[in-house]
Amino acid sequence: MEFDKKFLNDDEFKNRTSLALNWVKRSIDITGTPGSSAYFSRRKLILKGWQKPYPETTGYLIETLYNYANYFGQKQYTEMARKATDWICSLQFEDGALPGSYLGSKKPSIFNTGQMLFGLIRAYQEDGNQYHLTVLKKAVTWLIDSLSEDGSWKNAAFVDGFIPSYYTRVIWSVLLSDKILKDERIAPSMKKALEYYREKINENGTVTDWGFKADEAAFTHTIAYTIRGFIESALIINDNSLVDKMIVPIEKVMKLRELKGKIAGDYDLNWRGNYKYICLTGNFQLALIMTRLYKVRNDIRYLNSALKLFEDGYIHQKLSGRNTKGAIAGSYPFGGNYLEYSYPNWAVKFYLDAYLALKTAVDELGRNSSNE
């Protein structure tokens, strides 16, 4: 089977991803640390220019850098990943927590700690560094010890008093760490946590509190965070019924894309969307989820939809500018509701992840088809 998509050509893939990786490198070099700047902003009055390093997103950029180091055979990305991992480790608090917000923050964060686990796990898998393992153990222990009796995380939140459903990504990272740690507390505690957030799944496929604040429409960014956390956690513990529940919102998004020609930047709990802008990060995340489901369920519909969602965002990658060449904006149009007038490092992270996943899946499909 062939897909008539220019971005799947080898030269285009290498050119576009190289531009994005070079932008990531610039986002690190500009800070004078091994951490990536949270974003580059063109806002006129406040938070203009390059921002401080952001530990959370640097943490999960680590696995992206390793993926491309292995794919292209370029050691510079491995070195960037190793330095970023050591930097993350140096930020750990005495109790095992990792910080929220920008470099210099003394506030522990449940979600940010969970996201940095992805980098720590991958780094240890790559080089077996015992220092990374020690930091990983302490961080996981803190997350488990912070769990409330009902299975939720109530402390160290982004918004005080609000328990977001995108914490499913924390559950996923902790469960993933068990492949290394073999800690008997991990599976039962995370299954309990998963049940807490599972109760928030609505019949129409939306999930209560999957946005940044209660009673507000959720960006596709946090919608995708929530869905992927559920799916990956379910796959680890072999809970097929939970995967099935997450098929509902994914297929809803697929239908909306066909009906509207694009997906909205955010949706409320009744799937009423704001189609005035696209949350580009969310597009790439949802494309990544659909590519994953294609592999899991062997259903070509998911791959087709993933390609469409990815292309909707891919066409907006910046191809020029000293500080923007290779970057991805928060929104399209640029002044849209998600990180207006800014280029976040996590948009590039999920762009790179989705691009590699799609390229790999389609190339493999092509090889299999030619061998039949």
Side-chain angles (χ1 to χ4, degrees):
M1 180 177 293
E2 294 184 3
F3 294 91
D4 186 20
K5 297 289 186 182
K6 177 187 175 183
F7 62 80
L8 295 174
N9 296 338
D10 290 345
D11 289 344
E12 181 73 358
F13 171 76
K14 185 175 182 180
N15 177 55
R16 290 294 194 114
T17 57
S18 294
L19 289 177
L21 288 162
N22 287 339
W23 185 87
V24 171
K25 184 178 185 301
R26 179 157 179 73
S27 79
I28 293 171
D29 292 344
I30 204 76
T31 71
T33 76
S36 172
S37 168
Y39 55 88
F40 177 77
S41 172
R42 290 201 179 281
R43 293 170 182 165
K44 294 182 178 180
L45 298 177
I46 59 172
L47 300 177
K48 185 178 180 181
W50 289 101
Q51 303 303 297
K52 291 181 180 179
Y54 206 57
E56 175 208 340
T57 53
T58 299
Y60 61 31
L61 268 166
I62 290 167
E63 57 183 347
T64 306
L65 291 169
Y66 273 121
N67 285 341
Y68 277 89
N70 294 339
Y71 188 86
F72 286 133
Q74 294 190 12
K75 293 183 179 179
Q76 65 168 322
Y77 303 136
T78 299
E79 189 61 22
M80 288 164 64
R82 286 175 178 167
K83 288 180 179 179
T85 306
D86 287 342
W87 179 73
I88 292 294
C89 290
S90 74
L91 303 177
Q92 189 170 47
F93 300 136
E94 187 63 33
D95 61 2
L98 289 163
S101 192
Y102 302 103
L103 177 63
S105 170
K106 300 301 180 183
K107 183 180 178 181
S109 169
I110 293 293
F111 187 73
N112 294 25
T113 297
Q115 303 323 289
M116 285 181 264
L117 291 188
F118 289 111
L120 294 170
I121 292 166
R122 182 59 180 276
Y124 181 74
Q125 290 171 333
E126 291 285 340
D127 58 27
N129 187 311
Q130 292 299 306
Y131 175 43
H132 301 160
L133 180 63
T134 298
V135 172
L136 175 64
K137 284 181 178 177
K138 286 184 66 176
V140 169
T141 297
W142 179 74
L143 286 168
I144 293 174
D145 289 346
S146 299
L147 205 65
S148 298
E149 187 62 32
D150 63 2
S152 69
W153 280 289
K154 293 182 171 65
N155 65 319
F158 176 57
V159 176
D160 290 340
F162 178 59
I163 305 172
S165 294
Y166 57 76
Y167 276 0
T168 55
R169 268 188 69 97
V170 181
I171 298 171
W172 169 25
S173 66
V174 175
L175 284 170
L176 192 63
S177 74
D178 201 27
K179 295 181 179 181
I180 296 171
L181 301 179
K182 309 297 183 185
D183 185 332
E184 62 183 12
R185 293 202 302 160
I186 288 177
S189 62
M190 291 303 102
K191 285 180 181 178
K192 185 175 184 179
L194 205 56
E195 286 306 307
Y196 174 87
Y197 296 99
R198 186 176 190 149
E199 290 298 315
K200 295 190 177 187
I201 301 173
N202 303 309
E203 288 188 12
N204 68 353
T206 61
V207 182
T208 301
D209 297 331
W210 64 358
F212 282 124
K213 295 180 180 179
D215 303 321
E216 284 190 1
F219 296 117
T220 52
H221 171 49
T222 58
I223 288 173
Y225 264 167
T226 306
I227 294 172
R228 184 141 194 229
F230 272 126
I231 290 174
E232 298 292 352
S233 298
L235 290 172
I236 291 172
I237 65 173
N238 297 312
D239 187 341
N240 287 325
S241 67
L242 183 52
V243 176
D244 289 340
K245 281 185 175 291
M246 288 298 102
I247 293 291
V248 177
I250 286 299
E251 296 207 345
K252 180 66 175 181
V253 169
M254 290 165 62
K255 290 177 182 177
L256 289 169
R257 170 60 180 77
E258 293 305 310
L259 287 169
K260 303 285 189 177
K262 63 179 179 179
I263 60 171
D266 60 65
Y267 291 97
D268 67 13
L269 293 180
N270 293 306
W271 290 111
R272 289 188 293 259
N274 182 348
Y275 287 89
K276 293 180 180 179
Y277 76 103
I278 299 171
C279 172
L280 295 171
T281 309
N283 265 61
F284 300 131
Q285 289 174 270
L286 288 165
L288 191 57
I289 294 169
M290 290 174 188
T291 309
R292 181 79 163 115
L293 285 173
Y294 158 69
K295 300 289 286 186
V296 171
R297 294 294 173 94
N298 194 30
D299 188 334
I300 198 69
R301 293 180 306 124
Y302 297 127
L303 184 57
N304 277 316
S305 288
L307 289 165
K308 291 175 183 178
L309 283 178
F310 180 82
E311 190 169 25
D312 290 344
Y314 151 89
I315 59 175
H316 300 300
Q317 183 185 19
K318 288 286 290 183
L319 302 180
S320 63
R322 181 167 178 265
N323 293 308
T324 59
K325 189 174 184 178
I328 302 287
S331 295
Y332 180 80
F334 197 33
N337 290 5
Y338 184 70
L339 274 174
E340 66 277 6
Y341 307 114
S342 300
Y343 300 91
N345 64 13
W346 55 96
V348 170
K349 180 262 189 316
F350 287 112
Y351 170 77
L352 286 166
D353 288 352
Y355 209 164
L356 184 57
L358 283 167
K359 175 67 172 167
T360 303
V362 171
D363 284 354
E364 182 180 313
L365 185 60
R367 287 193 297 271
N368 292 341
S369 298
S370 63
N371 291 331
E372 290 178 356

